Amino acid sequence: MFLGTHSPKLDDKGRLTLPAKFREALAGGLMITKGQDHCLYVFPRAEFEQMARKVAEAPFTNESVRAYQRYLFAGTDEQEPDGQGRISIAPELRRYAGLAKDCVVIGAITRLEIWNAERWQTYLDEHEEGYAQAQEEVLPGVF
């Protein structure tokens, strides 16, 4: 499980050092793709392959499905962390997520999310009170 919040820096070559506690789970390779809310999703290769099979099974005769498949798969980059736990983030992915030097990496159970630090703080500011004040069951059967 990927959990927690970390604040690594993006270096001048577009590399990000993964938090040490996640490196073993990602040592076999990972997939970086555009996520919702203008962050990046980082999946272990096996997890991404499982998700990709489900996405590929959707009916491609549906225009929205085709658009989603194209955007997801065309925007995915395969990486393997180097000996220091760094991954290179492609320029197009950095642009999409607005990544600058200060980044935030959050654990989201089956994936990591990489955020521009300012964008993450804005997201928290906009959503934190709603989370704190939730009065109805958002995830039925969970809470």
Side-chain angles (χ1 to χ4, degrees):
M1 277 195 307
F2 297 112
L3 301 170
T5 302
H6 309 271
S7 300
K9 305 274 188 211
L10 192 67
D11 73 13
D12 294 337
K13 295 180 181 179
R15 298 176 302 190
L16 187 81
T17 302
L18 295 169
K21 70 189 248 178
F22 302 141
R23 291 181 195 167
E24 186 177 330
L26 299 170
L30 55 91
M31 308 301 271
I32 307 171
T33 192
K34 296 173 182 177
Q36 277 70 46
D37 303 309
H38 282 275
C39 70
L40 300 179
Y41 291 163
V42 178
F43 292 95
R45 182 177 286 126
E47 184 75 30
F48 184 84
E49 288 171 356
Q50 187 178 45
M51 180 201 55
R53 276 192 287 280
K54 292 177 184 174
V55 172
E57 290 172 3
F60 65 85
T61 54
N62 180 302
E63 183 178 357
S64 296
V65 168
R66 287 193 311 275
Y68 188 85
Q69 289 172 334
R70 288 172 182 149
Y71 201 75
L72 175 68
F73 297 130
T76 298
D77 185 33
E78 186 173 7
Q79 287 285 315
E80 196 155 323
D82 68 12
Q84 297 172 339
R86 294 177 303 193
I87 54 172
S88 294
I89 301 177
E92 172 58 19
L93 293 173
R94 292 194 313 260
R95 184 205 60 76
Y96 171 79
L99 297 182
K101 190 166 194 77
D102 295 322
C103 297
V104 173
V105 175
I106 64 166
I109 307 295
T110 60
R111 69 180 185 275
L112 297 176
E113 293 183 359
I114 302 173
W115 289 77
N116 167 293
E118 290 178 19
R119 195 173 276 169
W120 174 245
Q121 189 57 54
T122 299
Y123 182 88
L124 287 178
D125 293 344
E126 291 174 356
H127 295 89
E128 193 167 42
E129 192 58 31
Y131 176 78
Q133 298 298 322
Q135 295 181 12
E136 62 184 57
E137 198 172 30
V138 177
L139 301 169
V142 177
F143 288 109

